[in-house]
Amino acid sequence: MYKTTLAHHTYRFADLRTLMAKATPARSGDYLAGVGAESAEERMAARMALADLPLATFLNQALIPYECDEVTRLILDTHDRTAFAPISHLTVGDFRNWLLSDAADSITLARVAPGITPEMAAAVSKLMRNQDLILVARKCQVITRFRNTIGLPGHLSVRLQPNHPTDDWQGIAASMLDGLLYGSGDAVVGINPASDNLAVLGDLNRMLDEVIQRFAIPTQSCILTHVTNTIALIERGVPVDLVFQSIAGTEAANAGFGISLALLEEAHQAALSLGRGTLGNNVMYFETGQGSCLSAGAHHGVDQQTCEARAYAVARHFKPLLTNTVVGFIGPEYLYDGKQIIRAGLEDHFCGKLLGVPLGCDVCYTNHAEADQDDMDTLLTLLATAGLTFLIGVPGADDIMLNYQSTSFHDALYIRELLGLKHAPEFGAWLERMQLADHDGHLLAAGSRHPLLATLSLPHHAA
């Protein structure tokens, strides 16, 4: 039992799970689950009680029982007590103050990251204003490599997302060309396929590989299909760069995705065996999003933001090149409006980076949410200021396959210009060699005879 007195009223919270949920900023998903605070006063009382809680409590009281959840077992069994030692004496409130202090610089934060559990990260985020989340996340540096270097300070990468509702290779090639001419694609060229057919998926992999190899582009490709499909493609000798999978923060929610930690490890080892990275061996790409555990009925009464932070423990274990929260994709049942989406995006980025995960964000919303592109402009600007690893680039910001609103190639140009952010260095050098950008990264006009236009005449691979 946890309790605190506020305005002459004593508030009681039955257990740690309840305390965490009641301390969370208001959002529709927690009310849908019946775990949100009943008033702003109760929320503040929960935060006061949470601030006095020792961080070490989270090592002794699992929000989801150890015996029935492999994500809990992963979190506790891999916890680095040596890394935790410098902060082990702190309460959650003290931890917030320490994170905001000059003592918590980039080197120190990287050193303690393996000692921070997702629940600790989620707890401290609940005590933070938006500016706190931005300031601390900016100090966290997570650098990964495959064919280029992602996550360097002062840099921002873009996933080029050339989706097509029928997986038409010419439509995909046109969107890919569009993105490359705008300087996008240094995070990954990643397609959400409409089909699960292995022959189609193999063709898409080969097409992307042909473009990357023909023009010696220092980037990587990924077909965002189920991990079992990617394992099958690897077994067939298809040129796979990154293995993708959506993940969640509980064993039951991951089972709903048709995955387990053992299956992810099998895929990880399969991708490593190909040795396709030239600079590094970060071969995994994960996507997450607040509400996934609740939508699967697999949240165990835990608030959706804490469940989301637990997904980052899964990601961290497999040393991914990229992880991103698709923050507004699930819909208004979980994040109702622009205010909730903005707060969730900042929380996700903070928690992921604090845990040592290369966290990007699909700054997005569905058309039935109470949000618009102005809200996305705000979130994009805040996240980039906070040191966002990468964002999504979709033609016109309108994904015609997944039917949601994201960010465009032009949005990437805006944020680079505003904050002076650079491409991944190897990709920036390639843009300069291809006469698509100058030495400072500013775009140059591509003539009608530019060799990249050959992407539109790529041969279609027969199944």
Side-chain angles (χ1 to χ4, degrees), residues 332-409:
E333 299 86 355
Y334 306 95
L335 296 170
Y336 179 72
D337 56 14
K339 180 180 177 65
Q340 292 187 10
I341 292 172
I342 289 168
R343 173 68 190 192
L346 294 175
E347 288 171 348
D348 293 352
H349 181 249
F350 163 84
C351 288
K353 295 290 278 295
L354 189 63
L355 292 168
V357 176
L359 221 293
C361 184
D362 189 346
V363 178
C364 64
Y365 64 101
T366 58
N367 287 311
H368 63 307
E370 291 294 321
D372 58 27
Q373 214 65 37
D374 284 338
D375 295 315
M376 300 306 103
D377 287 349
T378 300
L379 178 54
L380 170 61
T381 305
L382 294 175
L383 284 171
T385 303
L388 183 69
T389 300
F390 73 103
L391 70 152
I392 307 298
V394 178
D398 184 9
D399 192 303
I400 59 174
M401 198 284 278
L402 294 173
N403 293 309
Y404 77 113
Q405 306 304 308
S406 184
T407 44
S408 70
F409 307 135

Side-chain angles (χ1 to χ4, degrees), residues 144 150 244-245 247 284-289 308 311-316 318-326 348-349 352-353 356-362 388-391:
T144 58
I150 294 173
F244 167 81
Q245 183 55 49
I247 57 173
M284 304 298 282
Y285 175 18
F286 296 118
E287 283 190 345
T288 68
E308 171 71 5
Y312 303 148
V314 176
R316 176 171 66 177
F318 296 100
K319 300 177 176 60
L321 180 75
L322 306 165
T323 302
N324 72 274
T325 169
V326 193
D348 293 352
H349 181 249
K353 295 290 278 295
V357 176
L359 221 293
C361 184
D362 189 346
L388 183 69
T389 300
F390 73 103
L391 70 152

Side-chain angles (χ1 to χ4, degrees), residues 5-35:
T5 301
L6 182 64
H8 306 292
H9 179 81
T10 298
Y11 289 88
R12 293 176 172 82
F13 309 98
D15 51 30
L16 185 54
R17 182 187 305 146
T18 302
L19 179 65
M20 290 278 281
K22 298 293 188 181
T24 305
R27 65 201 54 186
S28 53
D30 289 335
Y31 291 122
L32 178 65
V35 302

